[in-house]
Amino acid sequence: MRCSRCGHDQPATAKFCGECGERVGAACPRCRSVSPLGARFCLECGASLTGAAPAVAPATAAAPTPASPDAYIPKHLAEKIMATRGAIEGERKQVTVLFADLKGSTELLADLDPEEARRLTDAVLERMMEAVHCYEGTVNQVMGDGIMALFGAPVACEDHAVRACYAALRMQRAMRQYGKELRRSGGPELQARVGLNSGDVVVRSIQNDLHMDYTAVGATTHLAARMEQLARPGAILITDQTFRQVNGFVETQTLGPTPVKGVTEPVEVHEVLRAGPVQSRLQAAVARGLTPLTGREPELRLLHEICERTVGGEAQVVAMVGEPGVGKSRLLWELAQWAKGQGWLVLESASPAAGTSTAYAPMIDALKRFFGIAEGDGPRRLRQKIINHLLSRNTRLKRSVPAMLAFLGVPAAQERWRALDPAERQHRTVVAIKRLLLRESQTRPVLMAVEDLHAIDPDTQSLLGRLILERPSAPILFLVTHRPEFQPPWKGLPYYTELRLEPLPADSAAQLLDALLGSGEDVAPLKQMLIERTEGNPLFLEESVRTLIESKVLVGEPGAYRLDRALANIQIPTSVKAVIESRVDRLAPEDKRLLQWAAVIGREVPLVLLEAVAELPSSDLRRALERLQVAGFLYEARLFPDLEYAFRHPSAHEVVYAGLLKERRRLLHGRVLGAIEARVKRAEE
């Protein structure tokens, strides 16, 4: 018998979990109340406890929250999970686990009418789930007065810890607002407590209704549940494992080493207070202090040349293309700083990594920065800033006011806006933004920068494409970044330039490490090991060094570190592992399975061996290998005497291989061994 909250096995006679205190029994799929083990029907509502969960409608404030995940997981997220289900099952995933519950709900709701109590708890659960889904987390369990959610599983994401913290903050804001509404009507004061921890889980299977069979690895789930239980009402507690991944993205208060039941040593605990000023990995690096730009002089010169052409009066489009970590964001930042110094207007948005499902989010973010709109501005202040800003530029921009007000979220304008056809809304938005850009470009050149084009929502991609294809005759530079596998629709236009960034060559990587570590003789072997390990990827280099510093392998000061102990191997940093896992999960299921086969074969992958084990038609195999090369995972390492592929990065090979469950590894290794033996036997004959 397993606890529905923390997953720990319990004796058959247990009424409550010995680990987390949760009541043990059969949870009703309709009303979520717990009946004794062995009961065939719910003691509260009479629903069957032995059959399949009944079909239910999505939760409302007056209806029980459904137990079946397919009823409350948003459609776009459910489609993403189901589309890759076959490739996801049977994998280890790096995740952040979130537990949230209503503190003291039994005592608070004891004197209320059952229907009123149910209405209140359903409203609480609805707000909790909305916060999770806003940042593309998955609600894994609904448990009476609380939920368990996973960020980074079943579909991996590189910023799972940041997303989880943002979701927790959104959850607490929603709870505070709901609490105020209840108090005004004489209701009870409801407060939630939230706990988070980051680590590994195993996703074993995903059912058609999106129920997931998962197994926690180590203390991942246990510690998340403990953080929730330790949190005071209204608070969010995280472990040190999560803190190291979100430092700067959120503001925290360190509570110090805290005894935790079931854990031998005290656990370092932090309380999340609010969102921090950092919104991207680059901003975090800027806050820490950037390392010197190394090895990108040719690319920077080309960008300056394109800027000169733009100043001549014709709009230009530049796409910086490269794998994660090669320095796209850093190069864009350098260009933006230069452009601002030259008097350009720079419109840039925050990275869309957290909350990518929001339509037009990057464009809205850029325009809000332009209009000086702050997070706390109400509808009246919002309207005033937009109108004043537009009319102060040119009274002719008055025609753009309705579209701009609606696009940036002024409620009164949005009511009329929703009555328009979606195509008409986008047309008017494009016209309004184009007018604004043209007006600004009359006094100064304009740089509009949009990062991670591959990750932004389709609406933003379409809007940006319209602006680019309707090329204005004005000094406007559209600059985007994206990964190699993404193909923009405007590629090939005469005013389009693709700037492909490759990892740093060995000498440039060595210069970067000199700036990070210094030139001491004792770190020279480490530098060589890092360059070989990361293949010159700047992000991987910097994150590897930061991990060595945090783990006290390196001691000293920036630019003057020394090894404190011998180092036989370098662990892949958590941040790098998350980036690679996210990229792997973006692959088509058949490409991902082929990559896993390749990882089992080894760092070098002979084509004849891959053909023998992959069980794919030759044409399908070649096309899949081409896609994996475009995505930057594999490359042709040797053509003679036989074609051989290899993993571009050792870290990618290790992450893909480590993600396989041990039983699946054994199965695949057996098939590879059989293929090798058959090949040797044929050669001997």
Side-chain angles (χ1 to χ4, degrees), residues 383-502:
R383 181 185 182 89
Q384 184 182 29
K385 284 185 175 181
I386 295 170
I387 293 176
N388 289 349
H389 219 90
L390 288 174
L391 298 186
S392 67
R393 259 51 180 181
N394 193 316
T395 54
R396 292 182 179 179
L397 290 178
K398 185 177 181 179
R399 292 174 295 174
S400 301
V401 167
M404 201 65 75
L405 290 175
F407 188 65
L408 296 181
V410 176
Q414 283 188 316
E415 292 176 8
R416 296 187 294 273
W417 189 251
R418 293 190 187 99
L420 298 174
D421 179 81
E424 178 64 19
R425 289 200 298 266
Q426 188 178 84
H427 171 70
R428 295 191 184 189
T429 301
V430 169
V431 170
I433 295 175
K434 190 175 178 180
R435 285 174 182 160
L436 178 62
L437 294 177
L438 286 171
R439 174 63 190 86
E440 291 299 323
S441 68
Q442 292 175 4
T443 58
R444 51 185 170 168
V446 177
L447 169 61
M448 172 167 276
V450 178
E451 287 201 73
D452 296 334
L453 197 60
H454 58 276
I456 64 177
D457 61 282
D459 293 313
T460 302
Q461 291 182 12
S462 175
L463 189 151
L464 184 63
R466 290 276 302 275
L467 287 170
I468 289 173
L469 292 171
E470 297 176 14
R471 180 194 190 190
S473 297
I476 302 172
L477 173 59
F478 296 96
L479 195 152
V480 300
T481 69
H482 63 79
R483 294 180 183 173
E485 58 268 26
F486 180 80
Q487 297 295 318
W490 54 80
K491 189 173 182 178
L493 293 173
Y495 48 91
Y496 168 86
T497 302
E498 181 176 283
L499 182 56
R500 189 168 287 265
L501 297 184
E502 299 294 341

Side-chain angles (χ1 to χ4, degrees), residues 575-588:
S575 55
V576 173
K577 183 179 178 184
V579 168
I580 296 171
E581 286 182 347
S582 176
R583 291 189 64 216
V584 171
D585 271 2
R586 287 179 182 271
L587 295 172

